[in-house]
């Protein structure tokens, strides 16, 4: 056995203690950043077990996405579930979803199943990676509030690919500034730091453009859309990029419908094909189509 000199022993002990303290603080910080009820943790365990037992993990990513999305059918639509604390936290909520949190949860579960993972830490890892710019939770301004940036940043991460330009999409250059010009609608924008960071996000978005498939051309290009593709609905509302989002699902008729958290009250599949559904939406101009990699 090798004996350490007193000073060597003290130095090694200090190093070990420092490491343990750092580890403790890291875990404490992570715990503080996650908001999840006991009920939601139970829902997570039940859902991941159900999906694994259904052999969802051994199918294509497209089928996995549809299976995961369908497992949320009937979940109530609830807006602003992430707006709960001025100190931004990773909110886990399976009991109420809006259109964006629905898509985020579908993608997070699908990536877990694709990679044969079933633990809660893996789920929160993917959820944070998807929801925040470059996967880093650093306050309200780090969340990908604008869905066009959500798409581009998750494409940068290698999670998905925007295929709109390859299926007949057209370039759309639009000044995005809805949040900063409607500050009163967002309580946490009362904070000047949050407001400044949102303006920075808008400036970053406005440095580039995105493609969209005009709504009157969706019928002609519907065959290029696959079940499991993410559909983002573009809008003519000034300063806003996307007004709604969901998952493409091909029905037995061969037509693409929309699986989404509907503002009518719950997660459902549109009764009519996507092209018809979009014609009824006020201010809708078309769609952006993204595919999970």
């Amino acid at each position: 056995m090798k004996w350490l000199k007193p000073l060597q022993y003290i130095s090694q002990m200090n190093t070990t203690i420092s490491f343990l303290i750092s580890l403790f603080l890291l875990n404490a910080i992570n715990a503080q950043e996650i908001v999840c009820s006991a009920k939601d943790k139970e829902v997570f365990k039940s859902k991941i077990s159900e999906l694994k037992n259904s052999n969802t993990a051994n199918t294509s990513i497209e089928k996995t996405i549809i299976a995961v999305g369908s497992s949320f059918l009937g979940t109530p639509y609830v807006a602003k579930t992430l707006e709960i604390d001025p100190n931004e936290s990773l909110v886990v909520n399976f009991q109420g979803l809006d259109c964006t949190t629905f898509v985020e949860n579908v993608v997070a579960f699908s990536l877990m199943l694709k990679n044969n993972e079933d633990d809660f830490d893996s789920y929160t890892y993917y959820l944070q990676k998807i929801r925040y710019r470059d996967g880093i939770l650093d306050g309200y301004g780090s969340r990908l509030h604008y869905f066009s940036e959500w798409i581009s940043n998750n494409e940068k991460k290698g999670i998905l690919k925007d295929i709109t330009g390859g299926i007949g999409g057209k370039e759309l250059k639009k000044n995005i500034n809805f949040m900063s010009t409607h500050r009163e609608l967002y309580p946490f924008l009362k904070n000047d730091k949050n407001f400044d960071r949102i303006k920075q996000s808008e400036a970053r978005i406005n440095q580039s453009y995105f493609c969209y498939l005009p709504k009157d051309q969706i019928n002609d290009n519907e065959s290029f859309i696959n079940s499991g593709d993410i559909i983002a609905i573009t809008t003519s509302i000034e300063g806003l990029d996307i007004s709604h989002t969901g998952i493409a699902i091909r029905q037995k008729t061969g037509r693409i419908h929309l699986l989404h958290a509907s503002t009518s009250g719950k997660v459902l599949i549109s009764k009519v094909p996507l092209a018809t559904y979009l014609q009824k939406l006020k201010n809708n101009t078309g769609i952006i189509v993204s595919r999970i990699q």
Side-chain angles (χ1 to χ4, degrees), residues 152-175:
S152 62
N153 196 256
N154 278 299
E155 184 168 31
K156 176 183 174 183
K157 297 167 193 166
I159 292 174
L160 55 79
K161 181 175 178 57
D162 181 350
I163 65 168
T164 315
I167 63 170
K170 297 182 177 181
E171 179 181 326
L172 176 62
K173 183 69 176 177
K174 184 178 182 180
N175 191 35

Side-chain angles (χ1 to χ4, degrees), residues 3-280:
W3 294 94
L4 296 173
K5 295 178 181 180
L7 288 178
Q8 289 177 310
Y9 177 77
I10 292 171
S11 176
Q12 182 169 309
M13 283 297 293
N14 285 340
T15 300
T16 302
I17 291 170
S18 295
F19 171 76
L20 291 174
I21 290 173
S22 297
L23 187 61
F24 172 79
L25 289 174
L26 179 60
N27 288 332
I29 290 170
N30 286 337
Q32 291 171 353
E33 288 182 342
I34 298 175
V35 175
C36 181
S37 69
K39 173 63 176 175
D40 284 307
K41 284 195 174 181
E42 286 302 314
V43 173
F44 168 80
K45 291 178 183 178
S46 175
K47 185 174 291 293
I48 195 67
S49 176
E50 174 190 335
L51 290 167
K52 285 185 66 180
N53 290 337
S54 67
N55 209 32
T56 302
N58 297 322
T59 60
S60 66
I61 188 63
E62 293 83 4
K63 290 181 179 179
T64 297
I65 290 167
I66 294 302
V68 174
S70 297
S71 75
F72 285 103
L73 285 170
T75 302
Y77 176 92
V78 180
K80 299 183 178 181
T81 57
L82 307 186
E83 314 299 313
I84 62 173
D85 193 328
N87 298 314
E88 183 77 10
S89 302
L90 182 67
V91 176
V92 175
N93 187 338
F94 303 120
Q95 301 173 71
L97 301 169
D98 63 24
C99 64
T100 300
T101 57
F102 167 67
V103 169
E104 288 176 339
N105 275 288
V106 170
V107 175
F109 273 102
S110 298
L111 292 177
M112 285 182 66
L113 292 165
K114 176 184 175 183
N115 294 314
N116 297 312
E117 296 164 326
D118 59 7
D119 58 292
F120 188 71
D121 286 345
S122 293
Y123 163 76
T124 55
Y125 165 78
Y126 287 118
L127 187 63
Q128 177 172 318
K129 184 176 182 180
I130 293 161
R131 183 173 290 167
Y132 293 93
R133 187 175 300 104
D134 300 327
I136 300 170
L137 196 169
D138 181 26
Y140 182 81
S142 66
R143 199 195 317 161
L144 296 165
H145 295 273
Y146 286 103
F147 205 78
S148 61
E149 188 184 17
W150 187 98
I151 293 170
S152 62
N153 196 256
N154 278 299
E155 184 168 31
K156 176 183 174 183
K157 297 167 193 166
I159 292 174
L160 55 79
K161 181 175 178 57
D162 181 350
I163 65 168
T164 315
I167 63 170
K170 297 182 177 181
E171 179 181 326
L172 176 62
K173 183 69 176 177
K174 184 178 182 180
N175 191 35
I176 304 302
N177 59 9
F178 188 87
M179 291 183 71
S180 64
T181 56
H182 295 78
R183 189 175 184 176
E184 71 283 358
L185 299 179
Y186 302 90
F188 297 149
L189 289 188
K190 291 178 182 178
N191 180 293
D192 288 338
K193 180 180 178 181
N194 289 343
F195 183 70
D196 289 342
R197 291 188 68 186
I198 289 300
K199 290 188 71 175
Q200 290 170 15
S201 296
E202 292 170 345
R204 187 163 42 244
I205 295 170
N206 290 327
Q207 288 176 356
S208 57
Y209 67 89
F210 54 89
C211 288
Y212 80 113
L213 183 64
K215 62 182 179 181
D216 60 0
Q217 296 180 25
I218 293 173
N219 268 329
D220 293 339
N221 292 280
E222 189 178 296
S223 61
F224 298 113
I225 302 174
N226 292 344
S227 277
D229 286 348
I230 297 172
I231 303 296
I233 299 175
T234 56
T235 180
S236 62
I237 296 173
E238 187 174 353
L240 190 61
D241 53 352
I242 307 298
S243 61
H244 193 56
T245 187
I247 306 292
I249 180 169
R250 194 174 296 281
Q251 300 292 67
K252 292 180 180 179
T253 59
R255 300 298 304 278
I256 288 289
H257 289 237
L258 190 67
L259 170 58
H260 62 131
S262 170
T263 54
S264 65
K266 60 184 178 180
V267 175
L268 50 76
I269 299 172
S270 64
K271 292 181 180 180
V272 296
L274 176 63
T276 305
Y277 173 80
L278 294 178
Q279 293 295 336
K280 297 180 179 180

